[in-house]
Amino acid sequence: MNYLLLFLFIVAEIAFVICTFSENAQKAIWFHNRFLINALEFMAFLVFALFPGIDFGFRFIALIFVLIIRILISGITYFCKRRVTGDKKKAYAILSALLSIICIALSLIPSFIFNDYHGRETTGSYEVAMSEAILSDSSRLETFENDGSFREVPVHFYYPVTDELTEFPLIIFSHGAFGYYESNTSTYMELASNGYVVVSLDHPYHSFFCTDTDGKTIIVDMKFMNDVMYINSGNATEQEIAQISTSWIKLRTDDISFVLDTLKAGRQDGALNENWYAEAQAEDILRILKMMNMEKIGVMGHSLGGASAEYLGRIRDDVDAAIDLDGTMLGEQLGLVECEPYEFEGIEYREKYVINEEPYTVPLLSIDNQEHHDSRLEAKKIGMPYANNTILENALDGYETYFANAGHMNYTDLPLFSPFLANMLGTGSIDAGECIDTMNGIVLNFFDSKLKAKGAFHIEECYGN
């Protein structure tokens, strides 16, 4: 629809030029035509807004602003100069049309980058409600700032709507690098509709953006972004990768542990302590806390968030199940030792990781993309220590699968929300909707089995073939 809308705007501007030329380019007529065309373009948008694909949301807010400003300016100009005499240079009409087309096209860029995405259909019987708060950790200073402020962690709740006092298992979700708490909204909604309380948290300065208790928008830290790009470039040494990734995992597991401890304290006390910034939603959150079954806790995440969720299952006794969505289990890398040179994926290495070989006692599910799966197979083939391989081999209740032709971002909603951005970050040729729906079904079945004891969990070796 946005393409058709842009096409109509272009036609309208061409019509403006033609009409102006046919009237010998008189100034009064030129001003009249400009005002009329601008008004018709705005009316066209209003008509298109009656149909799916065009709305008054963020995808079209810039266009709405441009259309209104153009009507105001052309209207004022027309009513002030409608009686002027003389000719208007035809070049002005052409230039005006070209500038209008460029301005409108630029304002439509968000509509081309982002889809009209409203989530996926859920399978559960519960309606889903949402709430949010910010938790302030007085035991940790914010290391990304120098103002002595404490670490803050925004939390976002997705929970079943019910009139009865029912307890549901708790699921904590951690987003990936440059991610956002809404990265897997379809997953949260599917789980909540089936009787889970889901808490998706932001990791400030690792998150693409979030908000602090002062209402300030916190964007991703540039050093963190540069470190991620440096590590992914293949130029970083193994020592650098180990040092940097260890700090990432610690920050994130500290965030998740703090959130879990704070939720538990609120559930036990029936009150929100000084860590909470909930404002008008405090009553809702107290009700949500009563719904949480703190004896049934699952953790999951995507990419770096998946690695953090897996490691949290290692270090906390109260985690009952963990899911790693396409994350390398960085927390399980204990160090590096020198070794005979070997080649892996075209790069020569002279060091290898020492991987934690202690049994992983929490039920663990690992879902990889095609490339990740192939890399794991190659590492196993040449005898290269690889954290995911070692942990799953030593897991007492471990499961692994992958989606053929899936990319890293196919395990989030981004390919459905913005195919343009998702392709830049890595997607495969698999159908994005089918992939996320199948993945959400696997996640639900895993937690149903491990947290609700709804039968044995079975998984296929590969999906999407």
Side-chain angles (χ1 to χ4, degrees):
M1 291 291 285
N2 49 352
Y3 287 96
L4 180 58
L5 186 62
L6 178 59
F7 173 75
L8 289 180
F9 286 153
I10 293 174
V11 170
E13 292 300 326
I14 293 174
F16 162 72
V17 174
I18 294 174
C19 290
T20 301
F21 281 10
S22 66
E23 297 291 347
N24 296 320
Q26 295 180 22
K27 288 183 178 180
I29 296 176
W30 189 92
F31 291 129
H32 171 269
N33 289 346
R34 171 44 69 196
F35 175 61
L36 179 62
I37 290 296
N38 289 353
L40 289 174
E41 289 172 348
F42 185 68
M43 291 175 62
F45 172 80
L46 295 179
V47 171
F48 270 69
L50 298 175
F51 300 91
I54 306 292
D55 53 42
F56 295 92
F58 79 98
R59 299 170 64 236
F60 293 97
I61 192 66
L63 174 65
I64 296 171
F65 177 79
V66 167
L67 293 178
I68 292 176
I69 292 299
R70 291 172 75 238
I71 288 179
L72 292 175
I73 293 176
S74 62
I76 293 172
T77 303
Y78 168 63
F79 286 105
C80 290
K81 298 186 177 183
R82 56 184 171 175
R83 292 185 177 84
V84 297
T85 58
D87 295 336
K88 190 82 171 178
K89 291 183 179 181
K90 294 180 179 180
Y92 288 163
I94 297 175
L95 180 62
S96 174
L98 287 175
L99 291 176
S100 294
I101 291 172
I102 292 173
C103 190
I104 289 172
L106 290 175
S107 67
L108 276 169
I109 286 177
S111 73
F112 293 107
I113 293 179
F114 301 100
N115 281 352
D116 184 27
Y117 177 60
H118 298 288
R120 308 297 289 178
E121 185 176 351
T122 58
T123 65
S125 59
Y126 291 101
E127 292 185 12
V128 180
M130 289 163 278
S131 191
E132 60 185 6
I134 299 176
L135 304 181
S136 179
D137 187 353
S138 59
S139 69
R140 290 188 295 160
L141 292 177
E142 180 54 78
T143 57
F144 289 94
E145 299 288 351
N146 297 314
D147 58 1
S149 58
F150 295 126
R151 176 73 174 171
E152 296 181 353
V153 184
V155 289
H156 308 268
F157 301 89
Y158 298 76
Y159 58 97
V161 175
T162 175
D163 294 330
E164 301 177 359
L165 184 57
T166 306
E167 288 191 343
F168 302 100
L170 170 64
I171 307 296
I172 304 290
F173 187 92
S174 173
H175 62 73
F178 323 143
Y180 182 51
Y181 82 88
E182 289 185 305
S183 67
N184 285 68
T185 300
S186 67
T187 311
Y188 321 147
M189 297 294 287
E190 175 68 356
L191 288 169
S193 76
N194 282 278
Y196 291 87
V197 176
V198 182
V199 179
S200 176
L201 55 88
D202 277 309
H203 297 282
Y205 302 96
H206 280 200
S207 172
F208 187 63
F209 72 91
C210 60
T211 304
D212 68 7
T213 52
D214 293 326
K216 184 176 69 173
T217 298
I218 306 296
I219 63 173
V220 62
D221 179 67
M222 291 307 299
K223 184 180 184 304
F224 170 67
M225 180 180 290
N226 290 334
D227 284 344
V228 173
M229 295 174 65
Y230 176 55
I231 286 177
N232 290 334
S233 71
N235 296 321
T237 67
E238 293 302 299
Q239 290 286 352
E240 289 175 319
I241 295 174
Q243 181 179 2
I244 294 172
S245 61
T246 298
S247 67
W248 292 345
I249 294 296
K250 176 171 173 46
L251 176 74
R252 284 166 168 261
T253 52
D254 284 351
D255 282 349
I256 304 172
S257 283
F258 164 65
V259 169
L260 268 175
D261 290 342
T262 305
L263 294 176
K264 281 190 164 188
R267 174 74 171 84
Q268 179 177 339
D269 299 340
L272 305 184
N273 60 27
E274 66 279 1
N275 294 333
W276 289 86
Y277 289 82
E279 298 182 352
Q281 303 195 57
E283 186 175 338
D284 287 341
I285 291 171
L286 286 172
R287 185 173 68 256
I288 298 168
L289 290 173
K290 292 179 181 178
M291 298 168 64
M292 295 179 182
N293 183 348
M294 295 300 183
E295 300 301 318
K296 299 294 182 181
I297 298 175
V299 292
M300 66 177 299
H302 173 249
S303 190
L304 186 56
S308 303
E310 178 277 329
Y311 190 58
L312 201 77
R314 169 77 77 183
I315 62 177
R316 287 190 66 118
D317 294 333
D318 54 357
V319 172
D320 301 292
I323 297 179
D324 176 4
L325 300 178
D326 209 29
T328 301
M329 301 174 186
L330 302 170
E332 304 288 358
Q333 298 174 167
L334 304 180
L336 286 163
V337 294
E338 294 183 359
C339 64
E340 292 295 323
Y342 66 95
E343 187 174 298
F344 179 66
E345 297 183 336
I347 301 175
E348 183 179 272
Y349 294 88
R350 296 178 179 273
E351 295 175 308
K352 63 180 181 181
Y353 282 103
V354 177
I355 310 298
N356 188 353
E357 296 185 359
E358 290 292 320
Y360 193 88
T361 58
V362 172
L364 173 64
L365 170 61
S366 173
I367 303 179
D368 294 336
N369 71 40
Q370 179 78 65
E371 183 180 5
H372 195 176
H373 170 74
D374 294 344
S375 293
R376 286 181 55 194
L377 288 183
E378 178 63 22
K380 187 177 295 186
K381 179 180 177 181
I382 66 174
M384 170 187 170
Y386 194 96
N388 294 41
N389 290 338
T390 303
I391 300 311
L392 287 163
E393 288 167 1
N394 294 321
L396 302 184
D397 191 19
Y399 307 85
E400 56 182 299
T401 188
Y402 73 101
F403 281 70
N405 303 312
H408 189 56
M409 301 310 297
N410 283 117
Y411 301 129
T412 71
D413 290 356
L414 187 61
L416 300 171
F417 177 58
S418 177
F420 175 80
L421 294 178
N423 288 336
M424 291 178 62
L425 296 172
T427 56
S429 59
I430 192 172
D431 179 84
E434 180 182 343
C435 181
I436 199 70
D437 288 343
T438 304
M439 186 204 81
N440 288 343
I442 295 170
V443 167
L444 174 62
N445 291 338
F446 177 75
F447 283 137
D448 276 351
S449 175
K450 305 307 176 182
L451 300 182
K452 293 185 177 181
K454 288 188 175 182
F457 176 67
H458 300 286
I459 196 168
E460 296 179 15
E461 179 183 352
C462 175
Y463 293 86
N465 279 333

